[in-house]
Amino acid sequence: MKKLSLSLIILITCTTFAQAQIASENHSIIFKPIFGTHVNSDQGHLFQDQIIGFDAAYFKDISTNSDKWIGFSGAKSYGIGFIFRDLSKLKGTKDTSEHAFGQVYGLVAQMDFQLFKVGKAKFNFTPGVGLGYTNKYYFNNTKNRFLGSPINETIKADLGMELPMSQYADLLLGFGFLHVSNGGATVPNGGLNTGNVYIGLKLNNQKPLTAEQKSTYTTLQRNSIELSAGLGARGVFANRNKSLYKKWIICRL
C-alpha cells in the first residue's frame, strides 16, 4: 500500500505540473489503469500472472501543424509519460524466480500516431522509449535472474481506440506492450516482456487556433558526411564490476 500511495503522489504531482504548463496551444493529460501479464510462451501459464499498474502522460498536440512529415505519418501529438507496474505476482519461468520481482517506475518519451478513423472513433499507435527503475533485481535478490540492474531501458507501445465523450474528454481502450532490460550492460539480464489491456481517460483543453502552425526548421540543402565513434559494454555474469568492452566507428553519407 505504501508503494501504491507513493505512486499516486507522483502521479498527482506530475498532473498538477502538466496542468500548470497548459497555455494557448492544445494539450492533453492521459491516465490509463493497466491490467496485464508476463509474455513468455514457455511458461505454461501465460495468462495466470497478474500485473497491475497505470500509465499517466502529458501530450502536446501537433496535428494542426502543416509540416509534411506530420501529414504523411499521421502524427497527432508528442509528450512524456510516467509508468508504474507491480510485478510482485509474476511466477517466473519454471524456476525459483517466482515472486522475485518488485515494482517498475519509469519515464518515457512518446508520440501518438492516428492510424485510421471510423466515425468518431480514432485508432491510434503510441510508441515510447525511456528509462525505468526497479526495486528488485539480481544483485539484491538473486532469485531474479531476468533483471540485472536497478536502472533499465523501457520500451513500450500501445494500440488502441480513442472515443470522444465530450469536447474535453475522450475514452481510451486498447492493448499495450512493455519491455524492460538493460541491454546486457549487467548480466544476468533476460529482460521482461509484458502485455496488458487498458481502459483510460484523456482530458483535453481544446481551444480554437487562429492561424495554422508551421515549424521554422529547414534542412540544409547540401551534402554532408557524419563521423561518430562510441564505446559499448557487455556485462560478465553475476559480476557488477567487470564488462567486456566493444568499440566501433560509423561513417554515414
Side-chain angles (χ1 to χ4, degrees):
M1 287 299 294
K2 290 182 178 180
K3 293 173 181 176
L4 184 57
S5 298
L6 176 61
S7 301
L8 292 176
I9 291 173
I10 295 174
L11 170 64
I12 292 172
T13 302
C14 292
T15 302
T16 302
F17 174 78
Q19 289 175 326
Q21 301 301 309
I22 293 178
S24 59
E25 297 177 323
N26 290 336
H27 301 73
S28 60
I29 296 173
I30 292 174
F31 179 73
K32 298 186 294 191
I34 297 298
F35 308 93
T37 185
H38 180 203
V39 181
N40 195 324
S41 59
D42 64 358
Q43 280 183 275
H45 50 75
L46 178 61
F47 298 109
Q48 294 180 20
D49 292 341
Q50 298 177 25
I51 299 175
I52 60 172
F54 64 81
D55 291 347
Y58 171 72
F59 279 90
K60 178 179 178 180
D61 184 84
I62 58 172
S63 61
T64 58
N65 289 32
S66 62
D67 301 292
K68 291 183 179 180
W69 73 270
I70 293 178
F72 175 79
S73 66
K76 294 172 51 187
S77 58
Y78 69 91
I80 187 168
F82 174 78
I83 64 172
F84 167 74
R85 299 289 188 276
D86 183 1
L87 307 177
S88 60
K89 295 184 179 180
L90 291 190
K91 298 179 181 298
T93 307
K94 299 178 182 179
D95 60 16
T96 58
S97 62
E98 182 174 3
H99 303 308
F101 304 89
Q103 289 73 39
V104 172
Y105 307 83
L107 284 175
V108 293
Q110 296 177 277
M111 182 160 280
D112 198 23
F113 299 89
Q114 181 174 309
L115 301 179
F116 57 90
K117 186 176 180 180
V118 178
K120 293 184 178 181
K122 303 173 183 177
F123 292 83
N124 304 324
F125 174 62
T126 311
V129 61
L131 292 176
Y133 166 80
T134 181
N135 57 350
K136 283 189 178 181
Y137 55 101
Y138 179 80
F139 292 101
N140 70 3
N141 186 342
T142 55
K143 291 182 179 180
N144 182 348
R145 64 180 181 84
F146 290 88
L147 299 177
S149 62
I151 304 298
N152 297 277
E153 63 180 353
T154 303
I155 302 172
K156 73 185 301 291
D158 292 338
L159 183 64
M161 179 180 70
E162 178 181 333
L163 185 63
M165 298 171 59
S166 71
Q167 181 181 358
Y168 302 103
D170 299 338
L171 178 67
L172 304 175
L173 299 165
F175 302 91
F177 170 80
L178 178 69
H179 172 77
V180 179
S181 74
N182 66 27
T186 304
V187 181
N189 185 62
L192 285 178
N193 296 308
T194 68
N196 63 264
V197 295
Y198 65 82
I199 178 171
L201 192 65
K202 177 181 179 181
L203 302 177
N204 309 299
N205 75 317
Q206 295 292 343
K207 295 183 179 180
L209 299 176
T210 57
E212 185 180 48
Q213 300 178 40
K214 185 173 182 179
S215 171
T216 58
Y217 173 80
T218 57
T219 58
L220 294 175
Q221 302 299 315
R222 62 186 184 187
N223 297 323
S224 64
I225 297 177
E226 297 181 17
L227 184 65
S228 62
L231 185 67
R234 175 74 181 179
V236 178
F237 183 82
N239 191 317
R240 303 181 71 171
N241 301 316
K242 290 184 178 181
S243 297
L244 303 177
Y245 290 94
K246 300 177 181 179
K247 52 188 176 182
W248 61 89
I249 295 178
I250 302 173
C251 183
R252 184 172 58 189
L253 301 179

